[in-house]
Amino acid sequence: MAQKISTGAKKSAQKYKNEFAYKHNKGSRTTKKILDLPVDGLCKRCTDQVVWRKQFRKYKPLTAPKKCVTCDQKKVKKAYHVLCDDCADAKGVCAKCMESSEVVDIGNRKTSEHINRDEQELENKLVDMPERQRRTFLRKLERGEIKAADIPAAGSGSHSFDFSDSELDSSDGDSSDGED
């Protein structure tokens, strides 16, 4: 193979310069969902890579759990990770590059037990609700308008939630006062 021989001349400047920063689509649900995903269990280098991917809309979230490299179980639920959280914690390594450099600890990391407990509490709260209210709560929870803590307890009896902006509002403008 022939190698390219350098002439020693200086290279010219970049032809297309970035004059403005990349901006996300404001109304995109996908972008909002991606930006809300936590970045944890990674070393500084891998954290920077994943944050860059999120910033420039290159991040592609997982649709189904992946198989962990060490325990061979489908427990990897975060994109670009190769180890599950349990194995990464046990070994004390980065879940992406598997190097034992210092793992960046964000502090708001939930274990699978906490997540399961939270899901169970949410189900218990929603069990006694009428179907219409349950669906409204789930819709608002999915949109991010309310949090799971805002949902009243199952045995409280009174569901003090404002349905004024729901689709089935009682004041449709069809008031029958008897005046025509």
Side-chain angles (χ1 to χ4, degrees):
M1 273 199 228
Q3 291 182 347
K4 186 176 179 182
I5 300 172
S6 175
T7 59
K10 244 184 174 179
K11 292 184 180 179
S12 62
Q14 177 179 335
K15 187 173 182 181
Y16 298 104
K17 299 189 185 316
N18 297 328
E19 295 176 3
F20 55 90
Y22 176 80
K23 292 182 183 173
H24 288 284
N25 182 1
K26 285 184 183 176
S28 173
R29 289 183 185 172
T30 309
T31 300
K32 188 175 188 308
K33 193 182 291 185
I34 288 172
L35 292 175
D36 289 343
L37 292 172
V39 179
D40 54 1
L42 303 176
C43 63
K44 176 72 174 140
R45 180 173 177 256
C46 295
T47 301
D48 292 342
Q49 289 175 357
V50 172
V51 168
W52 181 89
R53 284 182 174 272
K54 283 183 168 188
Q55 184 180 358
F56 292 103
R57 191 70 193 267
K58 303 291 183 187
Y59 187 89
K60 194 172 179 190
L62 282 180
T63 56
K66 287 193 323 186
K67 200 182 258 190
C68 177
V69 176
T70 56
C71 66
D72 290 331
Q73 294 179 2
K74 288 197 170 194
K75 291 172 58 179
V76 180
K77 296 178 179 146
K78 297 173 186 161
Y80 309 105
H81 289 220
V82 292
L83 295 176
C84 62
D85 291 337
D86 299 333
C87 293
D89 288 341
K91 291 185 172 190
V93 296
C94 172
K96 182 174 181 264
C97 65
M98 294 176 44
E99 291 182 10
S100 60
S101 59
E102 187 175 331
V103 175
V104 176
D105 186 26
I106 295 174
N108 60 356
R109 193 166 166 185
K110 289 187 173 181
T111 62
S112 58
E113 297 151 3
H114 289 293
I115 294 170
N116 290 339
R117 188 173 348 124
D118 292 344
E119 288 176 359
Q120 188 67 34
E121 286 177 9
L122 179 64
E123 281 182 30
N124 289 340
K125 287 180 179 180
L126 296 175
V127 165
D128 294 335
M129 281 188 187
E131 185 70 19
R132 178 179 169 211
Q133 288 181 346
R134 183 178 328 136
R135 287 183 184 222
T136 304
F137 273 120
L138 292 174
R139 212 175 21 253
K140 290 188 178 270
L141 190 65
E142 187 178 312
R143 287 188 208 143
E145 294 175 10
I146 62 170
K147 297 191 190 285
D150 297 338
I151 299 174
S156 67
S158 65
H159 302 291
S160 59
F161 186 72
D162 182 25
F163 289 99
S164 61
D165 61 339
S166 66
E167 295 85 20
L168 300 172
D169 193 10
S170 62
S171 60
D172 293 330
D174 296 338
S175 61
S176 57
D177 298 62
E179 297 177 5
D180 280 345

